[in-house]
Amino acid sequence: MFAFILRRAGQSVIAVIGLLVLVFFLSRLTGDPAYLYLPLDSSEAQRQAFSEAHGFNDPLVVQFGRYLVDLARFDFGDALSRNRPAMEVALEAFPQTLKLAAIAIVLSLCLAVVVGSLAAARPGSLFDKLATTASLAGASAPDFWVAIVAILVFSVGLGLLPTSGTGTALHWIMPIFVLTLRPFGLLVQVVRGTMMSALASPYVKTARAKGVNRSRIVFRHALRNSLLPVITVAGDLAASLVNGAVVVETIFGWPGIGKLMIDAIVRRDFALIQATVLVTAIAIFVLNIAIDLVYARLDPRIRFETR
Amino acid sequence: MTGTHLLEVKDLTVDFLSLGGSFRATNGVSFHVDAGETLVILGESGSGKSVSASAIMGLIDTPPGDICAGSVAYRGRDLSSLSEGERRDLNGRKIAMIFQDPLSHLNPVYTIGWQMEEVFSVHGVASGGVARQRAIDILRRVGIPEPEKRIDQYPHQFSGGQRQRIMIGMAIALRPEILIADEPTTALDVSVQAQILELLKKLQAEDGLAIIMITHDLEVAANMADRVIVMKSGRIVEEGEARAVFENPAHTYTRTLINALPHGDHEAPPKRGRPAGKPILEVRNIDKFYTLSSGFFAKPARLHAVKKLSFDVAAGETIGIVGESGSGKSTVARVLLGLNEASGGEALFHGRDILKMDRKELLAFRRKVQMVFQDPYSSMNPRMTVLDIVSEPWRIHKDILEKPRWRDRVTELLGLVGLNPEHAARYPHQFSGGQRQRIAIARALACDPELVVCDEAVSALDVSVQVQVIGLLAELRDRLGLAYIFITHDLPIVRHFADRIIVMKSGEIVEHATTEEIFRSPQHAYTRQLINATPKPKWQTAADAA
């Protein structure tokens, strides 16, 4: 298993380097930062001096070489817009996103497994119809709309919850609710589908012939088999949340990495763009390896190629 | 007998509801079984034999199934009156069941120990270490070597025969009185089949089990049965003591089944002289390795699937390649058709090496050599009509036939393989398995081939249909001068069809002789084993033992 992780990490390093190259050059296509950071009436000479000071005048290849050398020394440059090391800023925002994403995905996964399994156990029942309708609504509702409506109802109308920011436990409720809704809706549908096919499988027939009761068949025999596709979808959803739920973070004024990334792009803060991309990329690669490990844990037929 | 049987099924009628209306799976089926005896329910696919067994276990889902009449009584107690809990208590404890395909019937994500211990724990008999020890004892009893170690392994780590042993062990764990075996050996090789049947008989003798065995295989039926019932289209057409039914079948359907047996004492068809034609295919020292796994740093593990294989095929000749699963017989076919690359050797078709052909040559070669696969359903596109399927080769090999004549030729080909030419507009799912295989043969014939490779072409078919399809192949051979390579795991089936037989084991030829020689004086022990693996009728073995 260790060899497997090592190999996956090796592959990931190659992919991360490719990504950084891409981000480095693409971000420099957005324009000259000098126009944003100096006053509108600054002279050409002042802009030249600014660019010279930050190294933007060198050929791109030279800038890239310098970036790589700095990277090798774990120097990620300074965030122009904040006058602080870029990585420090990124690492400050990332936990905020991570906490939100982790809570949302675990919550939606747990709820979806229970609701989806029960719906699949009695297809066509009232509970199944309710679950299917609710999950479809959850999966289709646009998150920005749900977020705004939630603010209108609970903050503006009822005055129960704060509109934005962090601090108290109350601040967490609405962002988590909005972020949980869509994954929950999607996952219920996946769980229901895979659980129905698992329940129709021959080994379930064997279990019934053995005299195993219904709930044990659903939650012991069928569940573990039907979780594999669910984990795939959940992993995908988790990756998009870790990436920063840009819209939701913006609406609720949540100081996460998604909001930071958008700010950095708008401010042409190249070092900060690169730092945020690097952090989220590493997080997603770690997530993917974790998913592979969960897979192998669930299904003994999956073996790491370590020989 | 004191009036009540151990298990008695009376007038069982089961309907299945579908969108197109309802379908009567069994119609007024009655039978019974008592301790220590074996009742065989014999029938081909769709005869309703499995439905009867599922009804006993309460495994029919309602809907779509509907038990509209009849009763199942265990020791005189009507099972339909049981609550769900009472039903569960009976399943596994008093009545147990094993199935056809043990791999899919074992839960892939739990160890076999977990699954065996569960039988004890859900019935409240034992748990923890006690259950584990009992599971180990049972594994030993059903013949799993080193049960202490293997109990923690998963189903995919066992062979097919071992998996069926595990299923049997799970079924007999609580010493049930009735064991229902639904086609328990159909998915297994013949030599393994014999072992499993022996195991069932041994357990029956030791525990006094009543066995209800469901099978389509007459030899298995004769080997196991004390009594037989024969089912067709949901009805019982014949029943009685096994020996009486097999030796003096009363119903025409039973007679058809028994006559369909490829061996037996009935007369052999007139012998064909060995075709004196020149060899069209010469296979020389073919080797094939499969790479099993290739790691980043690891040296790849290899499987030597075919080892230095040589044989030739003359025009109009039929070669049977016989072997059990894993013998490399299908790999040979795939290599010869250029579907897999060989690792070494040569295969000369009219003097040209197939393995070295370029794209154009290969295309021309594939016109002359066609293939018929085991599963006619998955080798046909379900969204294409029969007309499209049969005429597709002409779309690829454009010079065979111009488009306006396609319809006429398809009509002709369908007639040739014994199908109604008016059905050309239908889709594959509208045909039975045997008819689909006829469509596959018509498609193979569309290119006017010289050689047809049949890979287990009749294995998925019912016995009576097997005989019809082989009859068709033989007739086409004589009319069109075709040569065949007929690959099968069933040695007896090629007895009256093949001119020569190659017996393969672990990638090697163990015996290669004319069909007559193979059956008259098999030289290799493995060939003898394959011939003798066919189960003997119970009344004969009983007489031998006495």
Side-chain angles (χ1 to χ4, degrees):
Chain A
M1 193 177 89
F2 184 68
F4 165 80
I5 294 176
L6 211 65
R7 218 184 66 220
R8 283 296 303 264
Q11 291 167 350
S12 305
V13 167
I14 297 168
V16 169
I17 289 174
L19 185 68
L20 287 179
V21 172
L22 215 63
V23 169
F24 182 88
F25 289 103
L26 283 179
S27 61
R28 273 152 182 81
L29 288 177
T30 55
D32 186 354
Y35 287 95
L36 279 180
Y37 286 91
L38 295 180
L40 280 176
D41 53 358
S42 59
S43 68
E44 179 63 28
Q46 283 172 312
R47 285 198 292 271
Q48 277 298 329
F50 177 85
S51 296
E52 194 65 44
H54 292 94
F56 297 138
N57 273 352
D58 300 329
L60 271 182
V61 183
V62 174
Q63 290 186 39
F64 186 62
R66 193 163 54 223
Y67 170 61
L68 287 185
V69 171
D70 287 349
L71 209 57
R73 291 181 301 166
F74 292 98
D75 177 359
F76 303 93
D78 285 339
L80 273 182
S81 53
R82 322 228 164 180
N83 279 322
R84 287 170 60 202
M87 189 48 82
E88 205 179 289
V89 179
L91 286 181
E92 212 165 80
F94 185 65
Q96 296 297 331
T97 295
L98 195 61
K99 276 186 250 173
L100 213 54
I103 294 172
I105 206 72
V106 168
L107 202 62
S108 56
L109 193 56
C110 293
L111 286 173
V113 163
V114 174
V115 172
S117 299
L118 292 177
R122 312 245 175 216
S125 65
L126 183 65
F127 180 81
D128 179 34
K129 283 176 185 145
L130 282 175
T132 309
T133 314
S135 65
L136 195 63
S140 344
D143 48 7
F144 68 90
W145 178 81
V146 177
I148 291 169
V149 171
I151 291 176
L152 268 178
V153 174
F154 295 104
S155 307
V156 180
L158 300 172
L160 290 174
L161 297 170
T163 54
S164 65
T166 55
T168 66
L170 290 181
H171 285 96
W172 290 77
I173 293 175
M174 279 199 296
I176 286 174
F177 169 73
V178 174
L179 286 182
T180 305
L181 197 60
R182 211 175 95 81
F184 167 74
L186 286 171
L187 289 174
V188 166
Q189 312 222 318
V190 179
V191 171
R192 183 179 178 274
T194 57
M195 179 58 90
M196 294 224 346
S197 60
L199 285 176
S201 64
Y203 56 81
V204 164
K205 205 170 163 187
T206 308
R208 287 172 65 190
K210 281 192 324 196
V212 179
N213 68 40
R214 210 181 169 87
S215 68
R216 194 176 158 88
I217 284 178
V218 172
F219 289 106
R220 294 305 294 271
H221 283 267
L223 182 60
R224 197 157 150 191
N225 281 283
S226 57
L227 272 185
L228 289 175
V230 177
I231 295 294
T232 311
V233 177
D236 228 36
L237 292 167
S240 70
L241 288 182
V242 168
N243 223 332
V246 178
V247 175
V248 175
E249 285 182 4
T250 307
I251 292 175
F252 291 108
W254 197 265
I257 197 115
K259 191 166 176 295
L260 185 64
M261 212 182 284
I262 291 292
D263 287 349
I265 292 168
V266 171
R267 307 288 301 271
R268 290 183 199 157
D269 191 343
F270 300 152
L272 191 55
I273 296 174
Q274 286 152 11
T276 51
V277 168
L278 184 64
V279 168
T280 49
I282 289 172
I284 286 169
F285 284 120
V286 170
L287 183 70
N288 280 331
I289 291 175
I291 288 167
D292 282 342
L293 296 180
V294 170
Y295 249 76
R297 182 97 194 93
L298 286 175
D299 190 340
R301 287 167 298 181
I302 297 168
R303 283 280 152 261
F304 307 113
E305 288 172 17
T306 47
R307 268 170 300 137
Chain B
M1 218 41 55
T2 54
T4 44
H5 293 288
L6 181 58
L7 187 89
E8 186 158 22
V9 174
K10 258 197 193 137
D11 296 322
L12 185 70
T13 302
V14 179
D15 281 357
F16 275 92
L17 307 169
S18 66
L19 289 176
S22 78
F23 160 74
R24 184 145 288 188
T26 69
N27 196 345
V29 169
S30 302
F31 57 84
H32 63 86
V33 67
D34 288 304
E37 72 164 353
T38 303
L39 172 74
V40 166
I41 305 180
L42 184 66
E44 301 196 323
S45 48
S47 62
K49 56 193 195 303
S50 287
V51 173
S52 315
S54 296
I56 298 172
M57 295 298 286
L59 294 180
I60 294 178
D61 283 313
T62 46
D66 179 25
I67 300 176
C68 30
S71 65
V72 180
Y74 163 74
R75 291 193 177 279
R77 195 164 160 218
D78 187 359
L79 296 187
S80 63
S81 65
L82 295 186
S83 71
E84 212 176 308
E86 291 172 313
R87 173 85 250 180
R88 274 202 302 272
D89 187 53
L90 206 64
N91 278 4
R93 189 195 288 274
K94 296 292 178 198
I95 312 176
M97 187 163 180
I98 59 173
F99 302 91
Q100 173 172 350
D101 176 9
L103 179 59
S104 61
H105 280 91
L106 287 166
N107 197 327
V109 302
Y110 292 105
T111 63
I112 59 151
W114 187 94
Q115 299 185 51
M116 295 195 74
E117 286 157 35
E118 186 183 39
V119 182
F120 297 109
S121 61
V122 296
H123 287 284
V125 174
S127 61
V130 184
R132 185 181 166 87
Q133 190 49 50
R134 289 186 67 170
I136 290 173
D137 293 341
I138 289 166
L139 285 177
R140 189 175 292 115
R141 189 170 174 219
V142 295
I144 300 290
E146 300 185 89
E148 293 87 353
K149 269 190 216 157
R150 305 215 68 183
I151 190 165
D152 292 319
Q153 292 188 333
Y154 292 92
H156 70 273
Q157 291 167 302
F158 292 86
S159 70
Q162 285 175 327
R163 285 195 281 261
Q164 194 58 286
R165 285 172 189 273
I166 293 164
M167 284 292 291
I168 292 172
M170 221 153 73
I172 58 150
L174 298 175
R175 303 213 171 222
E177 293 172 278
I178 302 163
L179 177 68
I180 302 171
D182 189 354
E183 302 268 12
T185 59
T186 307
L188 304 175
D189 281 332
V190 268
S191 52
V192 182
Q193 164 172 295
Q195 296 164 13
I196 295 292
L197 295 179
E198 270 324 297
L199 174 65
L200 285 175
K201 282 190 208 161
K202 183 187 119 193
L203 296 171
Q204 180 172 42
E206 289 168 7
D207 289 5
L209 266 179
I211 296 180
I212 299 176
M213 175 127 165
I214 292 152
T215 183
H216 72 282
D217 187 322
L218 279 116
E219 282 134 349
V220 170
N223 179 260
M224 291 295 291
D226 295 309
R227 284 184 301 115
V228 180
I229 66 177
V230 182
M231 283 187 73
K232 183 180 182 344
S233 316
R235 287 177 188 278
I236 294 179
V237 295
E238 181 154 2
E239 62 178 304
E241 295 299 315
R243 185 168 190 171
V245 170
F246 281 99
E247 292 185 345
N248 291 305
H251 194 276
T252 35
Y253 177 69
T254 319
R255 274 204 293 276
T256 322
L257 280 181
I258 290 172
N259 287 331
L261 280 182
H263 38 78
D265 303 325
H266 57 276
E267 234 170 272
K271 234 178 248 133
R272 279 159 37 89
R274 167 145 189 217
K278 275 188 16 189
I280 53 172
L281 180 71
E282 297 163 79
V283 179
R284 298 282 167 265
N285 296 323
I286 288 274
D287 257 312
K288 175 70 190 172
F289 293 98
Y290 282 113
T291 305
L292 294 180
S293 68
S294 57
F296 223 61
F297 311 107
K299 198 176 143 214
R302 295 202 302 176
L303 173 76
H304 204 167
V306 174
K307 298 171 191 161
K308 298 262 175 255
L309 199 73
S310 302
F311 65 93
D312 47 46
V313 184
E317 193 183 25
T318 300
I319 305 284
I321 299 184
V322 182
E324 302 195 319
S325 50
S327 63
K329 58 189 193 303
S330 291
T331 306
V332 175
R334 300 186 62 83
V335 166
L336 291 182
L337 284 162
L339 298 174
N340 279 9
E341 270 181 49
S343 312
E346 53 181 19
L348 305 176
F349 185 70
H350 289 297
R352 309 222 41 177
D353 192 350
I354 301 164
L355 311 176
K356 295 201 177 72
M357 285 181 178
D358 58 29
R359 280 178 88 79
K360 227 174 119 190
E361 283 178 302
L362 208 54
L363 192 67
F365 158 74
R366 284 195 175 135
R367 255 178 80 165
K368 294 290 161 203
V369 180
Q370 288 288 308
M371 187 150 182
V372 178
F373 296 92
Q374 169 168 4
D375 181 354
Y377 200 60
S378 61
S379 59
M380 280 178 202
N381 187 333
R383 294 181 201 285
M384 281 167 73
T385 64
V386 171
L387 178 69
D388 294 335
I389 289 169
V390 177
S391 60
E392 195 177 24
W394 303 324
R395 230 175 267 279
I396 299 159
H397 305 282
K398 293 201 168 41
D399 52 326
I400 299 181
L401 205 65
E402 62 269 34
K403 201 159 181 185
R405 295 194 43 221
W406 285 9
R407 189 169 288 274
D408 291 342
R409 179 69 177 141
V410 168
T411 304
E412 206 176 302
L413 284 170
L414 290 182
L416 197 62
V417 297
L419 287 175
N420 184 347
E422 285 165 21
H423 293 170
R426 294 191 177 184
Y427 291 89
H429 72 265
Q430 292 169 293
F431 295 88
S432 71
Q435 286 173 323
R436 272 184 233 139
Q437 206 55 297
R438 287 171 190 266
I439 298 169
I441 293 169
R443 172 174 63 181
L445 293 180
C447 290
D448 300 319
E450 290 175 37
L451 174 65
V452 177
V453 178
C454 305
D455 188 3
E456 298 277 11
V458 299
S459 307
L461 306 175
D462 283 331
V463 256
S464 58
V465 184
Q466 281 184 349
V467 175
Q468 291 165 12
V469 171
I470 287 189
L472 170 69
L473 290 172
E475 188 195 319
L476 292 171
R477 171 178 67 188
D478 300 339
R479 274 171 70 176
L480 307 173
L482 292 175
Y484 291 109
I485 295 179
F486 194 90
I487 295 167
T488 180
H489 68 281
D490 189 354
L491 182 53
I493 210 167
V494 288
R495 182 168 196 169
H496 301 309
F497 179 54
D499 299 310
R500 277 187 295 140
I501 290 176
I502 292 171
V503 180
M504 280 186 74
K505 191 185 184 199
S506 316
E508 285 175 305
I509 295 181
V510 296
E511 190 157 0
H512 181 175
T514 64
T515 308
E516 210 191 322
E517 282 166 355
I518 290 264
F519 280 95
R520 203 184 49 219
S521 58
Q523 297 300 306
H524 197 277
Y526 182 67
T527 314
R528 278 197 291 276
Q529 194 191 328
L530 281 183
I531 294 175
N532 294 331
T534 309
K536 298 269 178 299
K538 196 172 191 173
W539 55 92
Q540 279 179 19
T541 48
D544 290 348

